[in-house]
Amino acid sequence: MPLAAVIDDQVFCIHGGIPNIPGNLSEMEKIPCPLSNPEVESDVAWQVMWNDPIAPGDITESVIEELSQNNGFAYNTKRNTACVFNKKAFNNFLHKNGITHVVRAHEVKQSGFEVQQGGQLLTVFSSSHYCGGSNEAACILLHNHRIRAIRIDTS
């Protein structure tokens, strides 16, 4: 199973979040395969599995300082690993890679999906009632350069 995919040369699909890489997506071609221990073998692979967009409630003065010193990335204290990224990092990533959207999973969303960053970041969670919760499931349909989030009735 691939760590990431680009659909229609415009939509970057990953599990976690955008990686903090100096170059462009070609950096991902350097990830070893097979990858038995991503945390040790590839920081980029670990980031695409564990990075998250920063939640507004997690922004503190120290986080703002770290984000400003690291091109919009800071340590992910919620997960105690990888990074969070802000809008600046997200927009830079889109621009330098010539993509328009990022579709990701990794975080439970009550309605099954969430649209962020001005509609350019979509988080989709396809498992309903995760760990006994009340969340719904969703999926993403990409067709004819259109992106649609579809909620799945699991009642």
Side-chain angles (χ1 to χ4, degrees):
M1 189 130 198
L3 287 175
V6 177
I7 299 173
D8 292 336
D9 296 320
Q10 296 179 326
V11 181
F12 182 60
C13 301
I14 48 174
H15 173 76
I18 60 168
N20 184 8
I21 51 179
N24 58 24
L25 287 176
S26 63
E27 293 285 322
M28 294 189 66
E29 294 172 9
K30 298 175 185 172
I31 295 172
C33 186
L35 185 63
S36 59
N37 189 351
E39 185 175 18
V40 173
E41 295 177 66
S42 173
D43 186 51
V44 174
W46 193 249
Q47 288 184 56
V48 298
M49 288 188 261
W50 288 99
N51 282 4
D52 294 311
I54 191 160
D58 294 338
I59 298 174
T60 64
E61 285 188 34
S62 62
V63 170
I64 290 170
E65 180 66 25
E66 189 177 353
L67 290 166
S68 69
Q69 292 175 0
N70 296 300
N71 301 315
F73 289 87
Y75 183 71
N76 191 335
T77 56
K78 267 190 182 171
R79 297 194 190 275
N80 289 317
T81 192
C83 300
V84 291
F85 56 90
N86 65 11
K87 186 172 182 68
K88 177 184 174 189
F90 183 76
N91 288 337
N92 287 341
F93 183 83
L94 294 179
H95 178 73
K96 76 178 168 181
N97 290 292
I99 56 178
T100 61
H101 293 80
V102 173
V103 175
R104 65 184 293 269
H106 194 54
E107 291 183 282
V108 176
K109 298 299 176 184
Q110 190 61 38
S111 65
F113 71 96
E114 181 178 15
V115 178
Q116 299 165 276
Q117 305 293 0
Q120 292 181 288
L121 176 64
L122 290 90
T123 299
V124 61
F125 203 79
S126 61
S127 177
S128 64
H129 310 292
Y130 185 70
C131 292
S134 62
N135 69 290
E136 296 182 33
C139 64
I140 299 291
L141 173 66
L142 284 90
H143 181 67
N144 288 334
H145 301 282
R146 290 190 173 160
I147 303 173
R148 296 181 193 269
I150 301 168
R151 288 176 44 186
I152 301 168
D153 184 3
T154 58
S155 55

